[in-house]
Amino acid sequence: GTRRGAGKMAAGGAADAQARFGHSVKGLLTEKVTSCGTDVIALTKQVLKGSRSAELLGQAARNMVLQEDAILHSEDSLRKMAIITTHLQYQQEAIQKNVEQSSNLRDQLSHLLK
């Protein structure tokens, strides 16, 4: 009768060991799942940060294009203003010559009429 009791005890010990093994496997799996979850969260944050920076880069590029257009437009306006200024200078010179000529004519007329 003692043998059967010892067998039961051995079987009980084996079952106990199996249960302990099962618990440790569950513990390891839980740890792994947790660390995987943490990694996924970190990866997601990184991806979101990357997409955000890509968005910001795109926005900066669009702003640069707009500024470039504005600069080109300003350059064009300055060129046109320079041309207008030159024309105005020519006109001013022409007017000055006319004024000088008319004063000369007035002098000549006054000499003639004396």
Side-chain angles (χ1 to χ4, degrees):
T2 51
R3 257 201 174 155
R4 204 180 261 173
K8 265 189 183 165
M9 289 225 356
D16 206 30
Q18 214 172 357
R20 273 202 307 271
F21 178 72
H23 276 306
S24 69
V25 168
K26 270 187 191 169
L28 279 172
L29 275 174
T30 307
E31 248 177 71
K32 282 287 177 197
V33 167
T34 306
S35 77
C36 267
T38 308
D39 289 349
V40 166
I41 289 170
L43 181 67
T44 307
K45 281 182 181 172
Q46 201 60 43
V47 167
L48 286 173
K49 200 187 286 183
S51 70
R52 181 80 182 117
S53 64
E55 199 179 309
L56 288 173
L57 271 173
Q59 212 172 351
R62 280 192 295 277
N63 287 344
M64 272 184 69
V65 168
L66 287 174
Q67 276 184 329
E68 198 179 11
D69 280 351
I71 289 170
L72 288 173
H73 184 71
S74 300
E75 221 177 358
D76 199 39
S77 295
L78 279 171
R79 211 174 293 119
K80 285 176 183 168
M81 282 164 68
I83 292 169
I84 292 171
T85 306
T86 307
H87 282 301
L88 285 172
Q89 282 173 338
Y90 288 145
Q91 287 178 358
Q92 185 190 6
E93 285 171 21
I95 290 170
Q96 272 179 327
K97 279 180 188 166
N98 283 338
V99 167
E100 285 169 20
Q101 284 176 355
S102 65
S103 65
N104 285 344
L105 277 174
R106 205 177 338 145
D107 288 347
Q108 288 173 9
L109 277 174
S110 64
H111 275 298
L112 283 174
L113 292 173
K114 272 183 185 172

